[in-house]
Amino acid sequence: SHCVLACSQGERVAAEGIGVWNPGFDVTPGALIRGIITERGVINNDMYGVELETDTFNIAKFIAETAPSSTVHEELPKPHLPRPIGFKALDCGKVLDYLEGNMRLKDILGGSKANWKAIEVGDGNINFVYVVKGVKGDLVVKQALPYVRVVGEDWPLPIERCSWEANALTTHGKHCPEHTPEVFHHDE
């Protein structure tokens, strides 16, 4: 359906023309964040000549400029979180392969991957988020990476955060199904 967030159980719940936003599939906009506290200091969204109230944080530049010098500081050990066995980052093609291998999700979309279209809609900082349009219906697919995407594996993140989000959405859905996206599938 074209109204993924504006409809519930096939019925429109938001007025025509109303924009909708689901924080379960998004992050706080950078324009609302003044700074990010790290073990190397605070990165502000205006540190590199960027106007305030933008959504731009030059994290890679901040990390490069604040990296400890081996002549001044002892190099800190790199943090390490275990990477799930068999983990593969998705792209628009791989997400279609993944969905085709899950019969329940394939049935929701209808047809086969040759009839589906995947569009990446995430902001690109941490997770991959795709809208997949099928013959019978549409799905939103979110993949949590085991690290901050814009920085790389030097900034690991717990992969379990996606499970926490799926559990929260499932719990919310039990209490307010008309306003909560349904979780059709979740991989540990």
Side-chain angles (χ1 to χ4, degrees), residues 51-99:
E51 294 295 320
L52 284 176
E53 300 190 15
T54 69
D55 59 359
T56 303
F57 284 85
N58 194 333
I59 295 171
K61 184 173 181 179
F62 173 79
I63 287 182
E65 290 182 357
T66 60
S69 166
S70 60
T71 59
V72 177
H73 302 284
E74 181 179 319
E75 184 68 31
L76 297 173
K78 290 188 178 186
H80 175 61
L81 292 172
R83 176 178 279 213
I85 296 171
F87 175 84
K88 294 178 186 162
L90 297 176
D91 60 26
C92 285
K94 290 177 186 170
V95 74
L96 297 180
D97 293 337
Y98 172 80
L99 292 170

Side-chain angles (χ1 to χ4, degrees), residues 64-140:
E65 290 182 357
T66 60
S69 166
S70 60
T71 59
V72 177
H73 302 284
E74 181 179 319
E75 184 68 31
L76 297 173
K78 290 188 178 186
H80 175 61
L81 292 172
R83 176 178 279 213
I85 296 171
F87 175 84
K88 294 178 186 162
L90 297 176
D91 60 26
C92 285
K94 290 177 186 170
V95 74
L96 297 180
D97 293 337
Y98 172 80
L99 292 170
E100 191 164 56
N102 182 304
M103 295 312 289
R104 180 172 185 219
L105 302 178
K106 183 176 179 179
D107 185 54
I108 291 169
L109 291 167
S112 68
K113 70 178 183 177
N115 308 108
W116 307 334
K117 181 178 181 180
I119 304 162
E120 185 177 358
V121 296
D123 62 8
N125 290 321
I126 297 178
N127 302 303
F128 289 115
V129 181
Y130 300 94
V131 172
V132 180
K133 300 203 172 275
V135 176
K136 287 180 11 185
D138 304 336
L139 290 171
V140 175

Side-chain angles (χ1 to χ4, degrees), residues 3 10 13 161 179:
C3 62
V13 294
R161 70 188 190 284
H179 297 292

